[in-house]
Amino acid sequence: MKKLPLYLMMMVLSLSIIPSTISATEKNPTAITVDTKEVPAEVKVMYSRLEEIKKMDKSSMNYSEKKALRKEVRAINANLRASHQGVYLSVGAVIIIILLLIILL
């Protein structure tokens, strides 16, 4: 009688694994079209300025010049982050979405 729950649990787990292995068969590959968006000119200018700052020799600069460069880099990065219009998900939201998908499917 004690083995009955064990056998039932094994049967349920084995039946839940079978459909996932059947659907894992190889399907015909589909062509993936990449929608490349052209980068605006303003963003290109900001990226080129950041590259210029990275390539600069900062060892010969004094403290105030370095501070001004840091402020400029922070401002450029803030503008670049603001120009992206994407959807950002936190780790907690991703975990909740994955759990809901597992439960519903």
Side-chain angles (χ1 to χ4, degrees):
M1 192 67 181
K2 291 183 179 180
K3 292 185 179 181
L4 182 63
L6 176 67
Y7 290 136
L8 286 174
M9 187 171 41
M10 288 176 55
M11 185 176 67
V12 168
L13 288 175
S14 65
L15 289 176
S16 66
I17 293 173
I18 291 172
S20 65
T21 58
I22 291 173
S23 66
T25 59
E26 189 172 332
K27 298 178 182 177
N28 293 335
T30 58
I32 299 173
T33 58
V34 178
D35 184 25
T36 57
K37 295 181 181 178
E38 189 173 320
V39 179
E42 302 164 350
V43 175
K44 287 181 183 179
V45 170
M46 287 185 218
Y47 278 129
S48 64
R49 179 62 183 149
L50 284 175
E51 288 299 319
E52 287 176 14
I53 292 173
K54 285 180 185 177
K55 291 178 183 176
M56 281 184 183
D57 182 26
K58 298 175 196 84
S59 61
S60 62
M61 294 182 179
N62 61 13
Y63 177 74
S64 61
E65 292 172 342
K66 288 181 185 179
K67 188 174 180 180
L69 277 178
R70 278 195 302 269
K71 283 185 179 181
E72 184 179 354
V73 168
R74 287 182 189 139
I76 291 173
N77 284 334
N79 287 337
L80 287 174
R81 270 188 239 115
S83 68
H84 296 295
Q85 298 170 347
V87 176
Y88 298 102
L89 296 174
S90 67
V91 175
V94 171
I95 292 172
I96 290 172
I97 290 170
I98 291 172
L99 287 174
L100 286 174
L101 288 175
I102 290 171
I103 291 171
L104 296 175
L105 300 176

